[in-house]
Amino acid sequence: MSARTARFDRGHTDDLMSFLAASPSPYHAVAGAAARLEKAGFRQVLETDAWDGTHGGKYVLRGGAIIAWYVPEGAEPHTPFRIVGAHTDSPNLRVKPLPDTGAYGWRQIAVEVYGGTLLNTWLDRDLGLAGRLTLRDGSHRLVNIDRALLRVPQLAIHLDRSANDGLKLDRQKHLQPIWGLGEVEEGDLIRFLEQESGLDDGDVTGWDLMVHSIEPPSYLGRDRELVAGPRMDNLLSVHAGTAALAAVTESGELPYIPVLAAFDHEENGSQADTGADGPLLGNVLERSVFARGGAYEDRARAFAGTVCLSSDTGHAVHPNYAERHDPTHHPRANGGPILKVNVNQRYATDGSGRAVFARACERAGVPWQTFVSNNAMPCGTTIGPITAARHGIQTVDIGVAILSMHSARELCGAQDPYLLANALTAFLEA
């Protein structure tokens, strides 16, 4: 992938679709990103080990988060960083600590709503189950039951004649998926997952599990110019950032240290040890400075020259609800990445950040657009303001414009993921 051409590469979008399908949980997403980086020559370093200052690509995994960076030859301790920030989690339904429930001869799984999901998009959809199992010895095992295992059945219209006048779902009563018939048996779900994973009965002592739609991503439309798929918010950015970081390692001399920071738990506030509001990114950057022989003064100089592009999805103008958008800002699918602006700091972009992003897009030959919320509508937020405030580094909010954000299945332009990856590559290079 070259940062200096914006010609559409469908191979990039094909690979994104494979990445989405293989990443039903944040744990699978970071494993997939790590595998791609390993092919580019990166190696994992453990937080519990001493780090050295050698050049090359390195990454840290912690739960559903990954921080990866590439140290060019000759990098000084005070060399600034260029960071692509993203998040690995998506709104969904997650399994409760006591999962086995049911009534009236139906066996169900107790779930909790994670993030601001569109609840109705989980109804009458074939669902799988995925996540991370924690074993008795403290190790982890990824699990992915990617077949029709669960379903949240909607009430028939004959029993709710007003359903089309405004569906109201009780989060506790109406969203517990069915997975079989018979009496409820305590421990049944975990025993099932142990068998599916080739584990012995009682091996699993902890779990972080979530449901996912098993319908694969697909091209959509007469000319296949759109892509429908799950978890684009925000695995689209994780995938583009991974591709960009791998690409810049093939460049010549780099004036910055390029970084990918993909966090978990953005959808519920980022306050976690794997979230953007935690210490993970700062610790990794500081340790990189110190491993190269730097001191606090070098750390301060490096951070002062650092810029982060916080890449997250944004809203494309909706043809059926155009009045919900700002009348002069209408981002369109396949129009290129968007610059996200909010003067109340829901996004971290300012004028100087706009110039950084514009320069990267110009260098990459990529068109770009601007998003701002309608004044009468509340504005969402991202890891951008958190990153800027926590680490004192310049941060710019960008992304790709999509429809159906926070649905179980979202929609974007087929060209936009590649255009974003090109822009991110150009940003990391110079």
Side-chain angles (χ1 to χ4, degrees):
M1 179 181 67
S2 169
R4 295 176 177 81
T5 175
R7 291 179 298 173
F8 176 39
D9 182 352
R10 194 172 290 272
H12 177 89
T13 305
D14 289 343
D15 189 63
L16 167 64
M17 292 163 68
S18 297
F19 183 71
L20 294 174
S23 304
S25 78
Y27 313 107
H28 290 82
V30 299
R36 284 166 163 76
L37 292 172
E38 289 273 357
K39 289 182 179 179
F42 285 68
R43 62 181 178 86
Q44 183 178 3
V45 294
L46 301 179
E47 293 183 82
T48 52
D49 288 348
W51 292 3
D52 60 49
T54 56
H55 77 276
K58 305 170 187 180
Y59 67 90
V60 165
L61 294 180
R62 183 192 289 187
I66 181 171
I67 311 292
W69 67 103
Y70 180 80
V71 179
E73 287 194 57
E76 300 286 346
H78 59 267
T79 299
F81 301 93
R82 279 288 175 105
I83 304 169
V84 172
H87 67 88
T88 62
D89 60 318
S90 301
N92 56 17
L93 306 177
R94 302 204 172 188
V95 176
K96 289 184 175 181
L98 300 176
D100 301 293
T101 187
Y104 305 105
W106 296 100
R107 294 161 62 204
Q108 295 172 275
I109 302 300
V111 296
E112 188 173 4
V113 178
Y114 177 85
T117 186
L118 282 169
L119 299 177
N120 65 294
T121 65
W122 294 94
L123 302 178
D124 297 330
R125 190 182 292 271
D126 294 340
L127 304 172
L129 189 66
R132 180 180 69 171
L133 303 174
T134 302
L135 308 188
R136 190 170 298 279
D137 62 4
S139 63
H140 297 114
R141 179 78 61 90
L142 297 185
V143 61
N144 181 12
I145 312 300
D146 196 32
R147 57 181 172 84
L149 182 70
L150 308 164
R151 189 178 180 90
V152 183
Q154 189 172 182
L155 186 64
I157 196 168
H158 311 77
L159 303 178
D160 182 8
R161 296 290 182 177
S162 65
N164 289 328
D165 299 325
L167 179 65
K168 296 187 74 69
L169 295 172
D170 185 297
R171 291 167 174 253
Q172 179 63 35
K173 293 169 57 179
H174 299 153
L175 296 174
Q176 311 308 311
I178 287 169
W179 78 310
L181 299 171
E183 297 300 317
V184 177
E185 297 182 29
E186 184 177 351
D188 199 21
L189 175 66
I190 301 306
R191 282 192 295 271
F192 166 75
L193 295 176
E194 287 172 334
Q195 293 169 3
E196 290 284 317
S197 304
L199 299 169
D200 293 332
D201 187 18
D203 278 352
V204 174
T205 56
W207 52 87
D208 302 279
L209 301 167
M210 57 207 72
V211 305
H212 66 274
S213 170
I214 64 168
E215 185 180 3
S218 63
Y219 287 103
L220 184 144
R222 184 192 66 181
D223 298 320
R224 302 175 75 219
E225 58 193 342
L226 300 169
V227 172
R231 300 175 294 280
M232 291 184 181
D233 180 13
N234 186 32
L235 295 187
L236 189 158
S237 293
V238 174
H239 178 265
T242 303
L245 181 59
V248 298
T249 64
E250 302 174 2
S251 303
E253 295 183 5
L254 293 172
Y256 305 101
I257 296 174
V259 180
L260 170 68
F263 303 100
D264 199 355
H265 296 299
E266 188 272 349
E267 297 293 356
N268 59 9
S270 295
Q271 291 184 323
D273 71 316
T274 53
D277 203 20
L280 181 59
L281 175 61
N283 287 348
V284 169
L285 299 185
E286 288 179 353
R287 291 185 67 178
S288 176
V289 169
F290 299 151
R292 283 176 279 121
Y296 182 81
E297 182 71 10
D298 297 292
R299 180 262 190 213
R301 292 175 66 188
F303 277 44
T306 292
V307 183
C308 173
L309 288 191
S310 165
S311 182
D312 204 345
T313 55
H315 302 293
V317 61
H318 197 302
N320 299 338
Y321 302 91
E323 72 280 0
R324 301 297 183 98
H325 300 265
D326 183 85
T328 59
H329 295 76
H330 285 166
R332 302 192 177 197
N334 290 334
I338 56 174
L339 179 74
K340 301 159 77 171
V341 179
N342 180 265
V343 295
N344 294 302
Q345 288 296 291
R346 300 292 284 173
Y347 303 130
T349 305
D350 63 9
S352 60
R354 184 183 192 275
V356 171
F357 179 63
R359 186 163 58 249
C361 289
E362 181 180 356
R363 185 170 181 270
V366 167
W368 60 280
Q369 312 174 80
T370 305
F371 171 84
V372 65
S373 288
N374 185 309
N375 285 335
M377 304 291 295
C379 181
T381 191
T382 68
I383 65 167
I386 295 171
T387 303
R390 181 168 184 84
H391 305 293
I393 59 179
Q394 182 181 19
T395 304
V396 188
D397 273 297
I398 67 162
V400 162
I402 70 171
L403 292 181
S404 305
M405 186 184 294
H406 287 195
S407 170
R409 193 169 177 84
E410 298 160 326
L411 184 72
C412 78
Q415 298 181 38
D416 283 331
Y418 181 66
L419 296 178
L420 174 64
N422 272 271
L424 296 180
T425 303
F427 165 73
L428 292 177
E429 279 183 339

